[in-house]
Amino acid sequence: MLDSVQPPLRNFWYLALAGRELPRGKTRATTLLGDPVLLCRGADGGVFALRDICPHRGIPLSHGKFDGREVECCYHGWRFGADGHCTAIPSLTPDQDLAVERIRCGAYPCREVQGNIWVYMAEKAARLPQSSLEGLPPVPELPGFGDAAPQVAIAQVFDCDADTAAFGLMDPTHAAFVHTSWWWKKNARKLRQKEKHFEPAPLGWRMKRHALPPQNRVYHLLGKGVTTEISYALPGLRIELIEGDRHRAAGLTAITPLGDSRTMVHQALYWTLPWAAPLRPLARYLANVFLTQDRRVVDMQQQGLAHNPSLMLIDDADTQAKWFYRLKREWLRAAEEGRPFENPVKPCTLRWRS
Ligand code: FES
Ligand SMILES: [Fe+2]
């Protein structure tokens, strides 16, 4: 039987936006875990994130103006800097000594890494953190790609909770039924038995590196002996690293809860093939086709879930979904008990037909 949906985990970095979606001197309003967040890119190119509510009278700061340095509220012109402190209140007369700098809208730790903007969502009860990055865990990074931005970055909003969206990432048996196209797996329903080896990985697990089937031509672009390794980590990350003897490619999928029943699924593709830039539009198109297929099936699923049915997770097809729940539970319990997280996943082999 499936557990009921759990709230999204706090104290994690969440992918908020692809960096190239936020030009210099611009802002972008979003919600992360239900919090209104204003993403800003200063005139200097740096990014920061403010709580998108004016502490004066509550209007979202996103209705105001941004001069590339400070955000000005549209209602009475209070101004806020990158660290979330108020810098000016226009109505004050020279003899009124209100401590302007002690007023804060709040700022979230925010970093741009490998072309993606990440925001750290701390515990709700805790005071909003300063934008300082001290003591925070590192932002998830793809090894072997330096600080390169993704070749392709797409995102779609799924009308479901984050767990439901995350399951799609770790569900190895839906592809034959959902991801069918004339150009991909024509005979998708000819199922073959699969056997994959798994091991624990930091805050998750990993499908051990294995060879990709040589009949899949597109992988030949990376050279000979192409292998892949797929890892999954809390709070909802999937990282696939594909390597040949000449080049490598990677896919990052990040699940970002916007609210209780709205989830952004981000997908970023990286590759080291220097001549493959013209393939970007095609890769973007295909990535969107895949993600749309996942989104549509979730939409249909919501029609059933509205009736609150009891659900099942079966072995071994859904074993990874079970791990995901167990990891979440263990992570929360460890935090509650003030002890280190103990990864409950043990090395094992899973079998299914897909
Ligand atoms: S509500 Fe923002 S300045 Fe008054
Ligand atoms: Fe899928």
Side-chain angles (χ1 to χ4, degrees):
M1 213 55 88
L2 193 61
D3 302 51
S4 59
V5 170
Q6 298 157 331
L9 297 179
R10 295 226 163 215
N11 298 335
F12 277 100
W13 288 98
Y14 283 95
L15 203 167
L17 189 68
R20 60 171 74 99
E21 302 280 316
L22 189 63
R24 269 173 204 251
K26 297 280 183 226
T27 61
R28 175 75 88 89
T30 184
T31 22
L32 298 173
L33 283 64
D35 290 10
V37 176
L38 184 65
L39 302 168
C40 312
R41 187 188 295 283
D44 62 354
V47 290
F48 59 94
L50 301 179
R51 182 166 157 83
D52 190 13
I53 295 182
C54 180
H56 181 213
R57 308 293 299 155
I59 200 165
L61 292 171
S62 47
H63 295 302
K65 283 195 208 130
F66 181 49
D67 64 2
R69 219 168 54 85
E70 292 175 344
V71 176
E72 182 186 282
C73 180
C74 71
Y75 208 167
H76 312 94
W78 291 21
R79 298 175 68 86
F80 300 90
D83 60 359
H85 285 268
C86 186
T87 57
I89 296 184
S91 67
L92 291 178
T93 60
D95 57 315
Q96 291 170 338
D97 61 348
L98 178 66
V100 170
E101 66 290 346
R102 289 182 56 188
I103 298 171
R104 306 195 307 145
C105 64
Y108 299 85
C110 180
R111 276 197 66 198
E112 187 166 19
V113 172
Q114 292 181 322
N116 290 305
I117 299 170
W118 298 77
V119 174
Y120 186 78
M121 299 303 289
E123 211 52 65
K124 213 170 191 170
R127 265 180 32 168
L128 272 180
Q130 297 293 333
S131 44
S132 149
L133 303 173
E134 229 170 275
L136 298 184
V139 174
E141 239 176 294
L142 303 174
F145 290 88
D147 203 32
Q151 302 284 343
V152 171
I154 62 164
Q156 290 192 26
V157 176
F158 284 33
D159 286 318
C160 65
D161 62 89
D163 283 354
T164 301
F167 283 0
L169 307 185
M170 54 194 75
D171 173 355
T173 59
H174 74 289
F177 299 90
V178 174
H179 299 300
T180 51
S181 294
W182 58 266
W183 47 267
W184 176 262
K185 293 196 176 186
K186 266 180 256 168
N187 287 322
R189 296 204 180 192
K190 254 200 197 156
L191 303 186
R192 272 181 298 180
Q193 177 151 342
K194 307 277 163 64
E195 179 177 285
K196 300 281 183 308
H197 307 291
F198 291 85
E199 61 189 5
L203 288 174
W205 67 92
R206 179 185 303 129
M207 184 189 287
K208 285 200 198 166
R209 192 165 277 287
H210 59 277
L212 278 163
Q215 63 267 29
N216 219 327
R217 296 272 184 82
V218 48
Y219 297 126
H220 293 189
L221 299 174
L222 303 176
K224 292 203 192 71
V226 181
T227 59
T228 183
E229 174 195 287
I230 307 176
S231 51
Y232 301 85
L234 294 178
L237 293 178
R238 176 189 190 272
I239 292 177
E240 176 158 13
L241 299 168
I242 308 174
E243 251 177 62
D245 65 348
R246 279 182 290 138
H247 290 288
R248 66 176 79 89
L252 164 73
T253 310
I255 302 290
T256 302
L258 303 180
D260 288 344
S261 55
R262 272 165 66 79
T263 301
M264 187 74 89
V265 181
H266 295 272
Q267 212 148 54
L269 305 177
Y270 298 76
W271 60 69
T272 58
L273 300 147
W275 49 265
L279 295 180
R280 278 188 207 158
L282 178 66
R284 163 182 288 270
Y285 168 77
L286 297 181
N288 263 312
V289 169
F290 263 72
L291 203 53
T292 303
Q293 289 169 335
D294 283 323
R295 185 169 49 76
R296 291 219 177 107
V297 86
V298 158
D299 280 346
M300 292 187 278
Q301 183 189 23
Q302 292 304 307
Q303 297 167 8
L305 294 184
H307 301 277
N308 217 0
S310 55
L311 308 173
M312 290 186 281
L313 292 176
I314 65 164
D315 288 325
D316 292 349
D318 302 328
T319 300
Q320 295 179 79
K322 289 188 189 177
W323 289 345
F324 182 69
Y325 267 135
R326 253 197 260 162
L327 280 155
K328 269 186 93 167
R329 272 201 306 266
E330 161 58 14
W331 196 86
L332 289 169
R333 211 172 289 156
E336 211 179 278
E337 296 169 7
R339 59 170 173 81
F341 168 86
E342 250 179 69
N343 195 327
V345 177
K346 302 280 173 272
C348 72
T349 298
L350 301 180
R351 294 179 189 83
W352 62 79
R353 287 167 51 78
S354 63

